[in-house]
Amino acid sequence: DIQLTQSPSFLSASVGDRVTITCRASQGISSYLAWYQQKPGKAPKLLIYAASTLQSGVPSRFSGSGSGTEFTLTISSLQPEDFATYYCQQLNSYPSLTFGGGTKVEIK
Amino acid sequence: QVQLQESGPGLVKPSGTLSLTCAVSGGSISSSNWWSWVRQPPGKGLEWIGEIYHSGSTNYNPSLKSRVTISVDKSKNQFSLKLSSVTAADTAVYYCARRIAAAGKAFDIWGQGTMVTVSS
């Protein structure tokens, strides 16, 4: 199975900060990586798929990059509504469409 | 637009079978999509359980494969999850989700989730 390791697992930041979250895969997954945002009590929301394609309706301050085994999610200027937990997911191969462990972004 | 809604018992006894249904509205379950189940134990991360295509083709997480069955009912435009021999470790919020069957696509539509507690 492909394992995904997110770092950091916790991040404290201020409104307006540039934030970067990393997701590392245990083996190459081409560009088949997605990023989700989840707020407490809510379902995850798709932000980015295919490593760098912004889902329709998602603000342009979110961006994704990477391929192979290393990927990043960047929020260019953190907004109050961005405080949430972020997950990566690999969709390259079965048997399991693995999620990363999550990164919680909190207000400093 | 397409919406998903989970339903089923919120409490299941240990060693019993968890059964949930996801109703698809605003679109056809027979479109080119995979239909998945994902769960999240309280305070923990997301775990993909498995998925089904309208043809009946399935893929399951190996860690749950021996206990999971996902089925589709095209006449009712819904799909279902059965998880057998449940324990307290299966207590979680269960989500259904859609993934377009094209390269690189991800889970773009999710249900609101339903909490299932395993307890006697």
Side-chain angles (χ1 to χ4, degrees), chain B residues 7-114:
Chain B
S7 62
L11 181 65
V12 181
K13 287 183 166 41
S15 77
T17 297
L18 179 159
S19 296
L20 297 174
T21 295
C22 181
V24 180
S25 59
S28 173
I29 202 166
S30 296
S31 53
S32 298
N33 302 309
W34 286 91
W35 305 95
S36 270
W37 288 97
V38 176
R39 71 179 183 178
Q40 185 171 38
K44 297 189 177 180
L46 301 166
E47 179 180 34
W48 178 75
I49 299 170
E51 63 183 5
I52 191 165
Y53 199 68
H54 62 79
S55 62
S57 180
T58 54
N59 296 297
Y60 296 134
N61 186 326
S63 68
L64 298 168
K65 187 174 183 177
S66 63
R67 299 193 291 130
V68 171
T69 302
I70 298 176
S71 59
V72 64
D73 186 336
K74 288 185 279 189
S75 67
K76 294 183 179 179
N77 218 40
Q78 64 186 32
F79 62 106
S80 298
L81 168 71
K82 289 190 186 298
L83 181 66
S84 63
S85 305
V86 296
T87 69
D90 296 308
T91 293
V93 175
Y94 285 77
Y95 296 99
C96 55
R98 179 188 87 163
R99 178 169 70 92
I100 296 172
K105 294 296 187 178
F107 295 172
D108 63 337
I109 296 175
W110 295 68
Q112 65 185 24
T114 187

Side-chain angles (χ1 to χ4, degrees), chain A residues 8-89:
Chain A
S9 55
F10 176 86
L11 187 160
S12 181
S14 301
V15 173
D17 283 353
R18 181 181 181 89
V19 167
T20 299
I21 299 168
T22 297
C23 179
R24 289 189 174 87
S26 59
Q27 57 186 275
I29 57 171
S30 186
S31 296
Y32 296 124
L33 188 101
W35 290 97
Y36 301 88
Q37 176 193 67
Q38 187 180 34
K39 296 181 179 179
K42 299 294 187 182
K45 172 188 174 184
L46 178 63
L47 299 176
I48 287 169
Y49 63 93
S52 60
T53 303
L54 201 64
Q55 174 70 357
S56 177
V58 174
S60 58
R61 63 180 179 273
F62 291 93
S63 64
S65 64
S67 67
T69 61
E70 187 148 337
F71 302 85
T72 58
L73 171 70
T74 300
I75 309 172
S76 61
S77 178
L78 199 64
Q79 297 302 300
E81 60 268 30
D82 300 337
F83 292 95
T85 300
Y86 294 84
Y87 294 94
C88 58
Q89 184 195 24

